[in-house]
Amino acid sequence: MKKDLLSLLDLEKTDFEQLFDRALQLKARYAKGIPDRILSGKTLGLIFDKKSTRTRIAFETAMIQLGGHPIYMSTQDTQISRNEPAADTARVLSRYIDCLAMRTFDHALVKEFAAASTIPVINALTDSFHPCQILSDIMTIIEHKGGYHKKKIAWVGDGNNVANSWVNAASVLGLNLVLACPENHMIKPEIIEAAGADAMDHVRFTTDPRDAVKNADVVYTDVWASMGEEDELEKRLAAFEGFQVNKALLSHAAPDVLVMHCLPAHRGEEIAEDVLEAPGAAFWDQAENKRHMHKAILETLILRNKTDE
C-alpha cells in the first residue's frame, strides 16, 4: 500500500527516526563526494500554487542528486486551471510520474490528490501543515544539540501551518513544546484535538513569549503574515507587538539556545537583525538540511511504493 506524507501524524516514531538517520547519512555521503543514484529513472512532479525558494529548490536538487528527474508544474500551466477535477489530474499523473509534491493553499486539495493517486503524494506546504519543514528542522536540532529528547522547544509567533506541524511532531515524538501566540492567533482547537490528549501532557500554550522561552533550548519563529495574509499585515504588526525574537527575549532562554526560523525572514518584525545575522546562526543549516531530508523522504516513499507494486 502506498504511503503519503500529508501531515506528520501520517508517521510513526520509527518513521521519524529512520528519516533522521537516513538524511544525516545522505548529508555525510554528499559531503564526502559519494554519489547516490538510487532513484535513477524515477520522476518527481511538483505542483506549486505558492511561491517557493527553499522547498522547491530542495526538492528539485534532491531528486537530481539521487539520479531522478523533477518536473515543476504551476497549476496555471495545467488543466487544473480550466477546472479539470483534481482526481482526474491525479489519476493521469500517476501514469506518468513516481511521486508528487504539492504546495498549495487548501489542505483538502492535497488530500483529494492523495486519495485518487496510486503514487505517493507529499505535502510541500498547505495553509494547514508544513511537515517536511519540521522534519529537516528536527534534523538540525539533532546536529546542533545532539538530539531532541528532553530539549525544551519554544515557538514564538503565529499559530500557523509551521506551528501546527510542530504540535503534530510533539504528539508523535513526545517533544517538550511550548507555543506563545497572541490570543487571537493561537493554534486552532481542531489541531490540538487531532494531536490527542496524551500530547497535551508535554505541549503547553501561552500568550507570554517570556514564559515560553524561559530556559528553552530551542526558540523558533516565523513571519507574522504568511502567504495569502499580506493584506492583514498592519493588523498583525499590532497584534504581535512584544513577540519579536530579539536579544532581550533570548536572555530568558538557555545560554546556548538555538534560534531557528524557516525563512524567509522579515528583519525587524518577527526577528531582530542582529539575531538573524549572529555568527554561527543555524538558519542556513536549516535551509541546507531541507535538501538532505527531502532526499530521505523521496527515497523512502518512492522505493516503498515500487516494492509494494
Side-chain angles (χ1 to χ4, degrees):
M1 183 177 178
K2 65 132 176 172
K3 177 89 169 174
D4 302 305
L5 178 51
L6 307 188
S7 88
L8 292 177
L9 295 182
D10 292 329
L11 303 180
E12 304 288 339
K13 186 174 182 179
T14 53
D15 298 323
F16 276 88
E17 292 173 348
Q18 288 170 5
L19 288 171
F20 297 145
D21 289 345
R22 183 57 177 156
L24 288 165
Q25 183 185 60
L26 287 164
K27 182 176 182 177
R29 289 173 60 84
Y30 182 80
K32 293 177 181 176
I34 301 172
D36 287 289
R37 299 287 187 266
I38 197 166
L39 296 184
S40 177
K42 303 294 188 291
T43 304
L44 168 69
L46 298 121
I47 294 181
F48 276 36
D49 277 329
K50 289 188 174 185
K51 291 180 171 56
S52 173
T53 298
R54 281 151 289 275
T55 300
R56 174 183 172 179
I57 304 304
F59 266 119
E60 291 192 358
T61 54
M63 196 63 183
I64 292 168
Q65 289 174 8
L66 290 178
H69 188 83
I71 300 176
Y72 180 82
M73 297 169 277
S74 163
T75 53
Q76 295 305 307
D77 298 327
T78 71
Q79 296 294 349
I80 298 173
S81 64
R82 297 177 66 235
N83 297 320
E84 180 178 52
D88 289 0
T89 302
R91 282 190 286 251
V92 171
L93 290 179
S94 295
R95 305 295 181 100
Y96 297 152
I97 61 179
D98 300 283
C99 186
L100 176 66
M102 292 193 67
R103 183 178 177 96
T104 189
F105 295 88
D106 188 355
H107 191 71
L109 180 61
V110 178
K111 293 174 69 174
E112 189 176 353
F113 261 82
S117 298
T118 58
I119 56 173
V121 175
I122 299 170
N123 175 5
L125 182 146
T126 64
D127 286 348
S128 299
F129 302 109
H130 199 1
C132 300
Q133 179 67 52
I134 303 307
L135 285 168
S136 57
D137 289 340
I138 299 176
M139 173 187 171
T140 307
I141 292 172
I142 293 170
E143 284 184 318
H144 281 257
K145 293 291 185 181
Y148 57 83
H149 300 288
K150 297 183 180 179
K151 304 297 182 187
K152 180 180 178 182
I153 300 169
W155 172 273
V156 180
D158 190 19
N160 63 12
N161 49 3
V162 181
N164 291 344
S165 291
W166 269 115
V167 172
N168 288 349
S171 172
V172 180
L173 299 177
L175 301 177
N176 176 10
L177 176 67
V178 182
L179 299 102
C181 310
E183 189 171 349
N184 293 326
H185 299 275
M186 193 62 77
I187 301 289
K188 290 184 170 57
E190 57 265 31
I191 300 297
I192 299 171
E193 183 178 352
D198 291 345
M200 295 307 104
D201 291 339
H202 45 85
V203 178
R204 188 163 62 84
F205 303 93
T206 177
T207 56
D208 183 353
R210 288 177 298 181
D211 173 31
V213 306
K214 185 178 181 181
N215 299 322
D217 300 289
V218 178
V219 172
Y220 199 119
T221 190
D222 191 8
V223 295
W224 291 339
S226 298
M227 283 181 284
E229 298 172 338
E230 290 82 357
D231 58 347
E232 301 177 15
L233 180 58
E234 291 304 317
K235 287 184 179 178
R236 283 175 172 263
L237 289 177
F240 284 85
E241 185 176 356
F243 281 75
Q244 184 186 84
V245 173
N246 52 36
K247 287 186 176 179
L249 182 64
L250 293 173
S251 69
H252 299 276
D256 60 345
V257 63
L258 182 69
V259 184
M260 305 184 78
H261 192 306
C262 53
L263 304 177
H266 293 176
R267 291 167 167 80
E269 290 183 12
E270 78 278 358
I271 190 165
E273 172 92 20
D274 57 358
V275 173
L276 192 71
E277 297 293 348
F283 313 110
W284 323 115
D285 293 337
Q286 279 183 262
E288 177 187 352
N289 284 341
K290 288 170 73 78
R291 173 163 52 100
H292 302 294
M293 178 53 72
H294 290 178
K295 285 184 185 177
I297 294 168
L298 291 169
E299 177 187 280
T300 300
L301 295 185
I302 291 174
L303 295 186
R304 170 177 171 160
N305 199 43
K306 292 301 176 187
T307 301
D308 290 347
E309 284 180 352

